[in-house]
Amino acid sequence: GLGDTGHGWSEALAGIKSPHVKYICPHAPVMPVSLNMNMAMPSWFDIIGLSPDSREDEAGIKQAAENVKALIDQEVKNGIPSNRIILGGFSQGGALSLYTALTTQQKLAGVIALSCWLPLRTSFPQGIISGVNKEIPVLQCHGDCDPLVPLMFGSLTVEKLKSMINPANVTFRTYSGMMHSSCIEEMMDVKQFIDKHLPPVD
């Protein structure tokens, strides 16, 4: 998430780890963020505004996606096939995970998108994507009291996703009373998704 480092989520994930899975929580680079009066903070790309019609940092989003693809390539070199890799993120990181999965030529095991939106949504052609991930399983989660990224953005994103990939593989979970954060119930859903799509291999 914007302004956070990988440490925050590595602690959250510590409670749901499976012994056969490797968890990587990368840090975003530090950059000035327009939304926060150009203050420098960890950010995957610039955010200009938080409404559906806000201008988006297209070059920054595409560069960030390339950085994530490079991380995936590194793991593939280490011997983990890309179809055993799940991308996940919260807020800005979730947005980046969705965008990367829909644009990469690496076949992935799934995406976990928490309290987020799909960036550059108008840049995708209508209908099913042509890439390798048109059957990708997606777990999208959102708090129904999110004041920062409203639940409506999550709902619109789910509808858009269902038109781009196999809708049967898109799961949308909402959590009553949850704001722009996480909760135990959500983490259990995340654990279930990871365990289902990354079963142990002999």
Side-chain angles (χ1 to χ4, degrees):
L2 181 65
D4 199 6
T5 68
H7 295 305
W9 281 95
S10 76
E11 282 168 29
L13 290 167
I16 61 160
K17 280 188 171 175
S18 298
H20 67 282
V21 178
K22 176 180 179 181
Y23 299 79
I24 299 172
C25 300
H27 303 309
V30 172
M31 63 175 74
V33 175
S34 302
L35 181 72
N36 293 339
M37 298 176 299
N38 282 329
M39 234 164 54
M41 61 189 64
S43 184
W44 293 107
F45 48 85
D46 192 21
I47 294 185
I48 293 116
L50 281 177
S51 71
D53 51 1
S54 297
R55 202 160 52 79
E56 294 187 276
D57 172 21
E58 185 174 353
I61 291 164
K62 288 179 171 170
Q63 181 55 57
E66 290 307 316
N67 297 348
V68 174
K69 291 171 195 176
L71 280 177
I72 296 168
D73 281 338
Q74 192 55 55
E75 291 311 303
V76 172
K77 280 200 187 80
N78 292 341
I80 300 175
S82 68
N83 67 358
R84 292 278 299 170
I85 295 175
I86 290 176
L87 274 187
F90 172 77
S91 194
Q92 187 193 41
L96 178 58
S97 296
L98 281 176
Y99 182 81
T100 305
L102 294 170
T103 56
T104 185
Q105 288 313 306
Q106 303 148 316
K107 189 167 170 56
L108 299 169
V111 182
I112 298 167
L114 309 178
S115 307
C116 67
W117 66 95
L118 175 63
L120 304 179
R121 65 188 186 284
T122 56
S123 70
F124 293 96
Q126 289 298 307
I128 300 288
I129 60 167
S130 57
V132 289
N133 287 317
K134 54 169 88 64
E135 294 287 331
I136 194 168
V138 175
L139 173 64
Q140 200 181 326
C141 303
H142 220 106
D144 67 359
C145 294
D146 193 324
L148 216 63
V149 180
L151 178 61
M152 182 52 126
F153 291 9
S155 306
L156 290 170
T157 295
V158 168
E159 290 320 304
K160 176 75 176 161
L161 281 176
K162 284 182 170 175
S163 72
M164 297 168 72
I165 58 177
N166 183 344
N169 294 341
V170 179
T171 304
F172 188 41
R173 295 244 188 279
T174 60
Y175 304 91
S176 170
M178 187 171 88
M179 297 178 72
H180 194 62
S181 63
S182 182
C183 66
I184 305 248
E185 196 189 337
E186 179 183 61
M187 293 310 284
M188 294 325 291
D189 287 337
V190 167
K191 177 176 174 54
Q192 204 176 2
F193 182 85
I194 294 172
D195 291 347
K196 178 182 176 184
H197 297 291
L198 296 179
V201 279
D202 294 333

